[in-house]
Amino acid sequence: MANIKYYTEDHIPLEMHKVRIIQKLHLLPIEDRLKSLNDSGYNTFLLKNRDVFLDMLTDSGVNAMSDRQQAAMLVADDSYAGSETFYRLEQKLTEIFKTKLFLPVHQGRAAENIINRTLIKPGDTVLMNYHFTTSKSHVTVNGGLVEELISDAGIEEESELLFKGDMDIGKLNEAISRLGADKIPYVRIEVGTNLIGGQPVSIQNMREVSAICKQHNIISLLDASLLADNLHFIKQREEEFKTKSIPEITEAIAELFDLIYFSARKLGYGRGGGIITNSQQLFDQMKELVPLYEGFMTYGGMSVREMEALTIGLDETMDEDMINQGPEFIAFMAEELLKRKIPIITPPGGLGCHLNAMKFLDHVPRGEYRAGALAASLYLASGVRGMERGTVSEDRNPDGSDHLANMELLRLALPRRVFTMSQVKYAVDRIAWLYDNRHLVGGLRFVEEPKVLRFFLGRLEAVSDWPQKLLEKFRADFGDSL
């Protein structure tokens, strides 16, 4: 827990905002939660939100907007072409990232679609520190392959390594030598590596990767969707930048990359997304695809109201007191779970707290989807919806076998400025109860399985009657409690 800043003696982080708008929540009885699990095919993505108490599925598009963002939405210039709103957003991106050119899109995967349609040729290989689900799929559907070059220490579940998202430089050099630079359309760095626990990347590592790309004339690409958390960790953990401002750190990152794209559903607490660059050549290659797949060049699939909110949200991302809220809440939750000896990914990263399903449910066979079973059992025990980040989130191998994930995680996202401390403590309490009764939890198997991105729409079922046994134990322990 080194270098995490707390504001009270008992390590409770202090919210630097006040709540002025609320939304009523509902906590269903456990019997109704079991029915919802069955109806949703034991896939938390398919749960109806009205059946969820605390929605920790993701931070994508569900962060709370500020009063300034809400107010900005009222002054949007609602024009199809040439909207002043677009130019305000473009100016803000130039101010923050020092880039000249901006392509608007409706979210991050739309940016991935345009980038990969432009740059990938069949037989190409994209090198990444680690893949994200949609980033990998967009490469493969365009005929490319993905190689992950995360360091071996990056996928250790419990570690003291402060930048587990760093790319292994030795692996990068070897891959370029083996494949040839002409077969590598770009090297992608994802800051805040999602699938290994929201782990940050150091600027030192980005510098080394950027220099190698320049040496071999390979495009360097940054997925900045989780940049806000990564900025916080760089300021806290990287000695060179402890006295630098958040805008200064952002500029130091941006100057290292030829292309940057982002999902504004994460970055900027809004909706939409974009591609930014200083390369006129890359811009011209991609721009014709925006009207084809997204919309006209001055809205790109976003509503102008979203764009106004994003402009303010990007400005707020440069405020240290805003971007530290997520990581500090996550660190608090992680510390409370560690006190109870519950296995989690350490050090805690960004985006959310990540339970280590590999150890939590070590009695469940790997082929029965430990992380998926943990997600289902936690919802049953608490009404908390998390997201499976393990083998269910992988596509099958060409021979039809499961591609076993490096990690089996249950991500409990903490959307920014959404949850109260009592709600975080409730989640910890129910996780602790589930851990004490983990022997009751069994595995899952697919009954409906899409070929691509199966974790979104696939349906599963319990391999035994373990959900009913868990329900009966809950009733024995808590009586009439929800």
PDB file of all heavy atoms in Angstrom, residues 376-408:
ATOM      1  N   ALA A 376     -21.086 -14.727 -10.304  1.00  0.00           N
ATOM      2  CA  ALA A 376     -22.466 -15.161 -10.065  1.00  0.00           C
ATOM      3  C   ALA A 376     -22.739 -15.338  -8.573  1.00  0.00           C
ATOM      4  O   ALA A 376     -23.779 -14.906  -8.064  1.00  0.00           O
ATOM      5  CB  ALA A 376     -22.730 -16.469 -10.812  1.00  0.00           C
ATOM      6  N   SER A 377     -21.806 -15.957  -7.851  1.00  0.00           N
ATOM      7  CA  SER A 377     -22.040 -16.214  -6.434  1.00  0.00           C
ATOM      8  C   SER A 377     -22.026 -14.923  -5.612  1.00  0.00           C
ATOM      9  O   SER A 377     -22.768 -14.798  -4.637  1.00  0.00           O
ATOM     10  CB  SER A 377     -21.010 -17.208  -5.885  1.00  0.00           C
ATOM     11  OG  SER A 377     -19.689 -16.731  -6.044  1.00  0.00           O
ATOM     12  N   LEU A 378     -21.216 -13.943  -6.007  1.00  0.00           N
ATOM     13  CA  LEU A 378     -21.215 -12.675  -5.271  1.00  0.00           C
ATOM     14  C   LEU A 378     -22.525 -11.926  -5.492  1.00  0.00           C
ATOM     15  O   LEU A 378     -23.072 -11.340  -4.550  1.00  0.00           O
ATOM     16  CB  LEU A 378     -20.031 -11.800  -5.675  1.00  0.00           C
ATOM     17  CG  LEU A 378     -19.969 -10.462  -4.936  1.00  0.00           C
ATOM     18  CD1 LEU A 378     -19.870 -10.645  -3.427  1.00  0.00           C
ATOM     19  CD2 LEU A 378     -18.806  -9.610  -5.436  1.00  0.00           C
ATOM     20  N   TYR A 379     -23.026 -11.944  -6.718  1.00  0.00           N
ATOM     21  CA  TYR A 379     -24.332 -11.320  -6.939  1.00  0.00           C
ATOM     22  C   TYR A 379     -25.401 -11.993  -6.084  1.00  0.00           C
ATOM     23  O   TYR A 379     -26.233 -11.322  -5.456  1.00  0.00           O
ATOM     24  CB  TYR A 379     -24.732 -11.388  -8.413  1.00  0.00           C
ATOM     25  CG  TYR A 379     -26.170 -10.954  -8.624  1.00  0.00           C
ATOM     26  CD1 TYR A 379     -26.527  -9.622  -8.534  1.00  0.00           C
ATOM     27  CD2 TYR A 379     -27.178 -11.904  -8.830  1.00  0.00           C
ATOM     28  CE1 TYR A 379     -27.856  -9.221  -8.673  1.00  0.00           C
ATOM     29  CE2 TYR A 379     -28.500 -11.511  -8.974  1.00  0.00           C
ATOM     30  CZ  TYR A 379     -28.839 -10.169  -8.889  1.00  0.00           C
ATOM     31  OH  TYR A 379     -30.150  -9.779  -9.007  1.00  0.00           O
ATOM     32  N   LEU A 380     -25.370 -13.318  -6.032  1.00  0.00           N
ATOM     33  CA  LEU A 380     -26.355 -14.038  -5.226  1.00  0.00           C
ATOM     34  C   LEU A 380     -26.245 -13.666  -3.752  1.00  0.00           C
ATOM     35  O   LEU A 380     -27.252 -13.449  -3.073  1.00  0.00           O
ATOM     36  CB  LEU A 380     -26.165 -15.548  -5.408  1.00  0.00           C
ATOM     37  CG  LEU A 380     -27.165 -16.464  -4.703  1.00  0.00           C
ATOM     38  CD1 LEU A 380     -28.589 -16.177  -5.153  1.00  0.00           C
ATOM     39  CD2 LEU A 380     -26.808 -17.927  -4.950  1.00  0.00           C
ATOM     40  N   ALA A 381     -25.036 -13.518  -3.256  1.00  0.00           N
ATOM     41  CA  ALA A 381     -24.817 -13.250  -1.841  1.00  0.00           C
ATOM     42  C   ALA A 381     -25.060 -11.799  -1.455  1.00  0.00           C
ATOM     43  O   ALA A 381     -25.242 -11.508  -0.268  1.00  0.00           O
ATOM     44  CB  ALA A 381     -23.395 -13.640  -1.444  1.00  0.00           C
ATOM     45  N   SER A 382     -25.065 -10.876  -2.450  1.00  0.00           N
ATOM     46  CA  SER A 382     -25.043  -9.459  -2.082  1.00  0.00           C
ATOM     47  C   SER A 382     -25.870  -8.524  -2.939  1.00  0.00           C
ATOM     48  O   SER A 382     -26.178  -7.408  -2.512  1.00  0.00           O
ATOM     49  CB  SER A 382     -23.588  -8.965  -2.140  1.00  0.00           C
ATOM     50  OG  SER A 382     -23.108  -9.033  -3.476  1.00  0.00           O
ATOM     51  N   GLY A 383     -26.202  -8.929  -4.143  1.00  0.00           N
ATOM     52  CA  GLY A 383     -26.802  -7.981  -5.076  1.00  0.00           C
ATOM     53  C   GLY A 383     -25.766  -7.106  -5.762  1.00  0.00           C
ATOM     54  O   GLY A 383     -26.120  -6.206  -6.530  1.00  0.00           O
ATOM     55  N   VAL A 384     -24.480  -7.353  -5.508  1.00  0.00           N
ATOM     56  CA  VAL A 384     -23.397  -6.594  -6.146  1.00  0.00           C
ATOM     57  C   VAL A 384     -23.066  -7.237  -7.485  1.00  0.00           C
ATOM     58  O   VAL A 384     -22.807  -8.435  -7.555  1.00  0.00           O
ATOM     59  CB  VAL A 384     -22.146  -6.552  -5.250  1.00  0.00           C
ATOM     60  CG1 VAL A 384     -20.978  -5.902  -5.992  1.00  0.00           C
ATOM     61  CG2 VAL A 384     -22.435  -5.810  -3.954  1.00  0.00           C
ATOM     62  N   ARG A 385     -23.066  -6.434  -8.535  1.00  0.00           N
ATOM     63  CA  ARG A 385     -22.733  -6.944  -9.867  1.00  0.00           C
ATOM     64  C   ARG A 385     -21.301  -6.568 -10.216  1.00  0.00           C
ATOM     65  O   ARG A 385     -20.953  -5.397 -10.323  1.00  0.00           O
ATOM     66  CB  ARG A 385     -23.674  -6.373 -10.930  1.00  0.00           C
ATOM     67  CG  ARG A 385     -23.235  -6.712 -12.340  1.00  0.00           C
ATOM     68  CD  ARG A 385     -24.303  -6.551 -13.379  1.00  0.00           C
ATOM     69  NE  ARG A 385     -24.774  -5.187 -13.567  1.00  0.00           N
ATOM     70  CZ  ARG A 385     -25.556  -4.824 -14.590  1.00  0.00           C
ATOM     71  NH1 ARG A 385     -25.949  -5.725 -15.477  1.00  0.00           N
ATOM     72  NH2 ARG A 385     -25.965  -3.582 -14.702  1.00  0.00           N
ATOM     73  N   GLY A 386     -20.448  -7.586 -10.373  1.00  0.00           N
ATOM     74  CA  GLY A 386     -19.095  -7.382 -10.863  1.00  0.00           C
ATOM     75  C   GLY A 386     -18.947  -7.934 -12.264  1.00  0.00           C
ATOM     76  O   GLY A 386     -19.904  -8.425 -12.858  1.00  0.00           O
ATOM     77  N   MET A 387     -17.727  -7.860 -12.797  1.00  0.00           N
ATOM     78  CA  MET A 387     -17.462  -8.353 -14.153  1.00  0.00           C
ATOM     79  C   MET A 387     -16.385  -9.426 -14.148  1.00  0.00           C
ATOM     80  O   MET A 387     -15.306  -9.218 -13.584  1.00  0.00           O
ATOM     81  CB  MET A 387     -17.013  -7.223 -15.080  1.00  0.00           C
ATOM     82  CG  MET A 387     -16.854  -7.699 -16.538  1.00  0.00           C
ATOM     83  SD  MET A 387     -16.039  -6.519 -17.642  1.00  0.00           S
ATOM     84  CE  MET A 387     -17.279  -5.241 -17.737  1.00  0.00           C
ATOM     85  N   GLU A 388     -16.697 -10.540 -14.780  1.00  0.00           N
ATOM     86  CA  GLU A 388     -15.713 -11.599 -14.993  1.00  0.00           C
ATOM     87  C   GLU A 388     -14.609 -11.087 -15.908  1.00  0.00           C
ATOM     88  O   GLU A 388     -14.860 -10.550 -16.984  1.00  0.00           O
ATOM     89  CB  GLU A 388     -16.393 -12.802 -15.647  1.00  0.00           C
ATOM     90  CG  GLU A 388     -15.536 -14.063 -15.700  1.00  0.00           C
ATOM     91  CD  GLU A 388     -14.628 -14.178 -16.917  1.00  0.00           C
ATOM     92  OE1 GLU A 388     -14.645 -13.278 -17.797  1.00  0.00           O
ATOM     93  OE2 GLU A 388     -13.896 -15.162 -16.996  1.00  0.00           O
ATOM     94  N   ARG A 389     -13.365 -11.242 -15.453  1.00  0.00           N
ATOM     95  CA  ARG A 389     -12.203 -10.917 -16.283  1.00  0.00           C
ATOM     96  C   ARG A 389     -11.255 -12.104 -16.231  1.00  0.00           C
ATOM     97  O   ARG A 389     -10.241 -12.092 -15.563  1.00  0.00           O
ATOM     98  CB  ARG A 389     -11.498  -9.654 -15.794  1.00  0.00           C
ATOM     99  CG  ARG A 389     -12.337  -8.396 -15.813  1.00  0.00           C
ATOM    100  CD  ARG A 389     -12.404  -7.707 -17.184  1.00  0.00           C
ATOM    101  NE  ARG A 389     -13.187  -8.410 -18.184  1.00  0.00           N
ATOM    102  CZ  ARG A 389     -13.571  -7.855 -19.338  1.00  0.00           C
ATOM    103  NH1 ARG A 389     -13.234  -6.607 -19.623  1.00  0.00           N
ATOM    104  NH2 ARG A 389     -14.277  -8.540 -20.196  1.00  0.00           N
ATOM    105  N   GLY A 390     -11.634 -13.157 -16.929  1.00  0.00           N
ATOM    106  CA  GLY A 390     -10.846 -14.382 -16.932  1.00  0.00           C
ATOM    107  C   GLY A 390     -11.081 -15.143 -18.210  1.00  0.00           C
ATOM    108  O   GLY A 390     -11.171 -14.562 -19.295  1.00  0.00           O
ATOM    109  N   THR A 391     -11.247 -16.455 -18.109  1.00  0.00           N
ATOM    110  CA  THR A 391     -11.342 -17.306 -19.290  1.00  0.00           C
ATOM    111  C   THR A 391     -12.623 -17.059 -20.081  1.00  0.00           C
ATOM    112  O   THR A 391     -12.623 -17.175 -21.311  1.00  0.00           O
ATOM    113  CB  THR A 391     -11.215 -18.782 -18.881  1.00  0.00           C
ATOM    114  OG1 THR A 391      -9.912 -18.982 -18.291  1.00  0.00           O
ATOM    115  CG2 THR A 391     -11.366 -19.718 -20.062  1.00  0.00           C
ATOM    116  N   VAL A 392     -13.727 -16.714 -19.405  1.00  0.00           N
ATOM    117  CA  VAL A 392     -14.948 -16.383 -20.142  1.00  0.00           C
ATOM    118  C   VAL A 392     -14.712 -15.184 -21.053  1.00  0.00           C
ATOM    119  O   VAL A 392     -15.301 -15.084 -22.134  1.00  0.00           O
ATOM    120  CB  VAL A 392     -16.121 -16.119 -19.171  1.00  0.00           C
ATOM    121  CG1 VAL A 392     -17.360 -15.641 -19.929  1.00  0.00           C
ATOM    122  CG2 VAL A 392     -16.465 -17.383 -18.388  1.00  0.00           C
ATOM    123  N   SER A 393     -13.839 -14.274 -20.639  1.00  0.00           N
ATOM    124  CA  SER A 393     -13.543 -13.073 -21.436  1.00  0.00           C
ATOM    125  C   SER A 393     -12.578 -13.343 -22.589  1.00  0.00           C
ATOM    126  O   SER A 393     -12.261 -12.431 -23.346  1.00  0.00           O
ATOM    127  CB  SER A 393     -12.960 -11.978 -20.533  1.00  0.00           C
ATOM    128  OG  SER A 393     -13.924 -11.506 -19.615  1.00  0.00           O
ATOM    129  N   GLU A 394     -12.117 -14.569 -22.729  1.00  0.00           N
ATOM    130  CA  GLU A 394     -11.280 -14.964 -23.861  1.00  0.00           C
ATOM    131  C   GLU A 394     -12.132 -15.694 -24.893  1.00  0.00           C
ATOM    132  O   GLU A 394     -13.141 -16.323 -24.559  1.00  0.00           O
ATOM    133  CB  GLU A 394     -10.150 -15.897 -23.390  1.00  0.00           C
ATOM    134  CG  GLU A 394      -9.217 -15.301 -22.351  1.00  0.00           C
ATOM    135  CD  GLU A 394      -8.190 -14.366 -22.945  1.00  0.00           C
ATOM    136  OE1 GLU A 394      -8.076 -14.302 -24.194  1.00  0.00           O
ATOM    137  OE2 GLU A 394      -7.487 -13.696 -22.163  1.00  0.00           O
ATOM    138  N   ASP A 395     -11.723 -15.621 -26.159  1.00  0.00           N
ATOM    139  CA  ASP A 395     -12.348 -16.454 -27.191  1.00  0.00           C
ATOM    140  C   ASP A 395     -11.651 -17.814 -27.211  1.00  0.00           C
ATOM    141  O   ASP A 395     -10.529 -17.967 -26.722  1.00  0.00           O
ATOM    142  CB  ASP A 395     -12.232 -15.787 -28.560  1.00  0.00           C
ATOM    143  CG  ASP A 395     -13.050 -14.508 -28.651  1.00  0.00           C
ATOM    144  OD1 ASP A 395     -14.087 -14.424 -27.965  1.00  0.00           O
ATOM    145  OD2 ASP A 395     -12.642 -13.593 -29.394  1.00  0.00           O
ATOM    146  N   ARG A 396     -12.307 -18.800 -27.788  1.00  0.00           N
ATOM    147  CA  ARG A 396     -11.724 -20.145 -27.840  1.00  0.00           C
ATOM    148  C   ARG A 396     -10.529 -20.214 -28.803  1.00  0.00           C
ATOM    149  O   ARG A 396     -10.402 -19.400 -29.714  1.00  0.00           O
ATOM    150  CB  ARG A 396     -12.786 -21.171 -28.260  1.00  0.00           C
ATOM    151  CG  ARG A 396     -13.818 -21.459 -27.174  1.00  0.00           C
ATOM    152  CD  ARG A 396     -14.695 -22.626 -27.526  1.00  0.00           C
ATOM    153  NE  ARG A 396     -15.689 -22.875 -26.479  1.00  0.00           N
ATOM    154  CZ  ARG A 396     -15.483 -23.666 -25.435  1.00  0.00           C
ATOM    155  NH1 ARG A 396     -14.323 -24.295 -25.307  1.00  0.00           N
ATOM    156  NH2 ARG A 396     -16.426 -23.839 -24.527  1.00  0.00           N
ATOM    157  N   ASN A 397      -9.685 -21.196 -28.581  1.00  0.00           N
ATOM    158  CA  ASN A 397      -8.583 -21.479 -29.494  1.00  0.00           C
ATOM    159  C   ASN A 397      -9.134 -22.027 -30.814  1.00  0.00           C
ATOM    160  O   ASN A 397     -10.279 -22.505 -30.878  1.00  0.00           O
ATOM    161  CB  ASN A 397      -7.632 -22.507 -28.864  1.00  0.00           C
ATOM    162  CG  ASN A 397      -6.936 -21.965 -27.634  1.00  0.00           C
ATOM    163  OD1 ASN A 397      -6.500 -20.824 -27.615  1.00  0.00           O
ATOM    164  ND2 ASN A 397      -6.830 -22.791 -26.597  1.00  0.00           N
ATOM    165  N   PRO A 398      -8.340 -21.981 -31.887  1.00  0.00           N
ATOM    166  CA  PRO A 398      -8.811 -22.504 -33.179  1.00  0.00           C
ATOM    167  C   PRO A 398      -9.291 -23.950 -33.125  1.00  0.00           C
ATOM    168  O   PRO A 398     -10.176 -24.351 -33.897  1.00  0.00           O
ATOM    169  CB  PRO A 398      -7.579 -22.364 -34.085  1.00  0.00           C
ATOM    170  CG  PRO A 398      -6.831 -21.201 -33.502  1.00  0.00           C
ATOM    171  CD  PRO A 398      -7.026 -21.321 -32.013  1.00  0.00           C
ATOM    172  N   ASP A 399      -8.724 -24.769 -32.209  1.00  0.00           N
ATOM    173  CA  ASP A 399      -9.145 -26.167 -32.115  1.00  0.00           C
ATOM    174  C   ASP A 399     -10.398 -26.365 -31.267  1.00  0.00           C
ATOM    175  O   ASP A 399     -10.837 -27.492 -31.048  1.00  0.00           O
ATOM    176  CB  ASP A 399      -8.005 -27.036 -31.573  1.00  0.00           C
ATOM    177  CG  ASP A 399      -7.620 -26.670 -30.132  1.00  0.00           C
ATOM    178  OD1 ASP A 399      -8.259 -25.770 -29.530  1.00  0.00           O
ATOM    179  OD2 ASP A 399      -6.680 -27.291 -29.594  1.00  0.00           O
ATOM    180  N   GLY A 400     -10.972 -25.247 -30.789  1.00  0.00           N
ATOM    181  CA  GLY A 400     -12.207 -25.332 -30.014  1.00  0.00           C
ATOM    182  C   GLY A 400     -12.012 -25.409 -28.521  1.00  0.00           C
ATOM    183  O   GLY A 400     -12.985 -25.324 -27.764  1.00  0.00           O
ATOM    184  N   SER A 401     -10.776 -25.564 -28.068  1.00  0.00           N
ATOM    185  CA  SER A 401     -10.522 -25.619 -26.625  1.00  0.00           C
ATOM    186  C   SER A 401     -10.554 -24.214 -26.029  1.00  0.00           C
ATOM    187  O   SER A 401     -10.382 -23.212 -26.730  1.00  0.00           O
ATOM    188  CB  SER A 401      -9.157 -26.258 -26.352  1.00  0.00           C
ATOM    189  OG  SER A 401      -8.117 -25.476 -26.919  1.00  0.00           O
ATOM    190  N   ASP A 402     -10.778 -24.144 -24.729  1.00  0.00           N
ATOM    191  CA  ASP A 402     -10.751 -22.859 -24.052  1.00  0.00           C
ATOM    192  C   ASP A 402      -9.337 -22.296 -24.037  1.00  0.00           C
ATOM    193  O   ASP A 402      -8.370 -23.016 -23.783  1.00  0.00           O
ATOM    194  CB  ASP A 402     -11.245 -23.007 -22.604  1.00  0.00           C
ATOM    195  CG  ASP A 402     -12.712 -22.670 -22.445  1.00  0.00           C
ATOM    196  OD1 ASP A 402     -13.154 -21.687 -23.063  1.00  0.00           O
ATOM    197  OD2 ASP A 402     -13.409 -23.392 -21.711  1.00  0.00           O
ATOM    198  N   HIS A 403      -9.256 -20.986 -24.294  1.00  0.00           N
ATOM    199  CA  HIS A 403      -7.985 -20.286 -24.115  1.00  0.00           C
ATOM    200  C   HIS A 403      -7.946 -19.802 -22.667  1.00  0.00           C
ATOM    201  O   HIS A 403      -8.600 -18.828 -22.309  1.00  0.00           O
ATOM    202  CB  HIS A 403      -7.879 -19.105 -25.077  1.00  0.00           C
ATOM    203  CG  HIS A 403      -6.585 -18.359 -24.962  1.00  0.00           C
ATOM    204  ND1 HIS A 403      -5.409 -18.829 -25.503  1.00  0.00           N
ATOM    205  CD2 HIS A 403      -6.272 -17.191 -24.337  1.00  0.00           C
ATOM    206  CE1 HIS A 403      -4.433 -17.979 -25.235  1.00  0.00           C
ATOM    207  NE2 HIS A 403      -4.931 -16.973 -24.521  1.00  0.00           N
ATOM    208  N   LEU A 404      -7.211 -20.521 -21.834  1.00  0.00           N
ATOM    209  CA  LEU A 404      -7.203 -20.207 -20.408  1.00  0.00           C
ATOM    210  C   LEU A 404      -6.497 -18.883 -20.168  1.00  0.00           C
ATOM    211  O   LEU A 404      -5.362 -18.673 -20.608  1.00  0.00           O
ATOM    212  CB  LEU A 404      -6.524 -21.325 -19.616  1.00  0.00           C
ATOM    213  CG  LEU A 404      -7.212 -22.697 -19.683  1.00  0.00           C
ATOM    214  CD1 LEU A 404      -6.407 -23.733 -18.896  1.00  0.00           C
ATOM    215  CD2 LEU A 404      -8.643 -22.624 -19.170  1.00  0.00           C
ATOM    216  N   ALA A 405      -7.158 -17.981 -19.477  1.00  0.00           N
ATOM    217  CA  ALA A 405      -6.610 -16.660 -19.209  1.00  0.00           C
ATOM    218  C   ALA A 405      -5.434 -16.753 -18.239  1.00  0.00           C
ATOM    219  O   ALA A 405      -5.351 -17.679 -17.415  1.00  0.00           O
ATOM    220  CB  ALA A 405      -7.694 -15.756 -18.617  1.00  0.00           C
ATOM    221  N   ASN A 406      -4.521 -15.772 -18.340  1.00  0.00           N
ATOM    222  CA  ASN A 406      -3.405 -15.720 -17.406  1.00  0.00           C
ATOM    223  C   ASN A 406      -3.888 -15.508 -15.979  1.00  0.00           C
ATOM    224  O   ASN A 406      -3.268 -15.973 -15.022  1.00  0.00           O
ATOM    225  CB  ASN A 406      -2.449 -14.582 -17.786  1.00  0.00           C
ATOM    226  CG  ASN A 406      -1.669 -14.865 -19.046  1.00  0.00           C
ATOM    227  OD1 ASN A 406      -1.255 -15.987 -19.275  1.00  0.00           O
ATOM    228  ND2 ASN A 406      -1.479 -13.866 -19.874  1.00  0.00           N
ATOM    229  N   MET A 407      -4.974 -14.764 -15.854  1.00  0.00           N
ATOM    230  CA  MET A 407      -5.543 -14.480 -14.538  1.00  0.00           C
ATOM    231  C   MET A 407      -7.039 -14.755 -14.572  1.00  0.00           C
ATOM    232  O   MET A 407      -7.689 -14.604 -15.615  1.00  0.00           O
ATOM    233  CB  MET A 407      -5.308 -13.018 -14.141  1.00  0.00           C
ATOM    234  CG  MET A 407      -3.861 -12.670 -13.840  1.00  0.00           C
ATOM    235  SD  MET A 407      -3.739 -10.929 -13.337  1.00  0.00           S
ATOM    236  CE  MET A 407      -2.052 -10.899 -12.700  1.00  0.00           C
ATOM    237  N   GLU A 408      -7.575 -15.152 -13.431  1.00  0.00           N
ATOM    238  CA  GLU A 408      -9.023 -15.311 -13.260  1.00  0.00           C
ATOM    239  C   GLU A 408      -9.460 -14.276 -12.233  1.00  0.00           C
ATOM    240  O   GLU A 408      -9.247 -14.444 -11.024  1.00  0.00           O
ATOM    241  CB  GLU A 408      -9.370 -16.723 -12.786  1.00  0.00           C
ATOM    242  CG  GLU A 408      -9.071 -17.826 -13.791  1.00  0.00           C
ATOM    243  CD  GLU A 408     -10.059 -17.857 -14.958  1.00  0.00           C
ATOM    244  OE1 GLU A 408     -11.158 -17.260 -14.838  1.00  0.00           O
ATOM    245  OE2 GLU A 408      -9.723 -18.467 -16.000  1.00  0.00           O
TER     246      GLU A 408
END
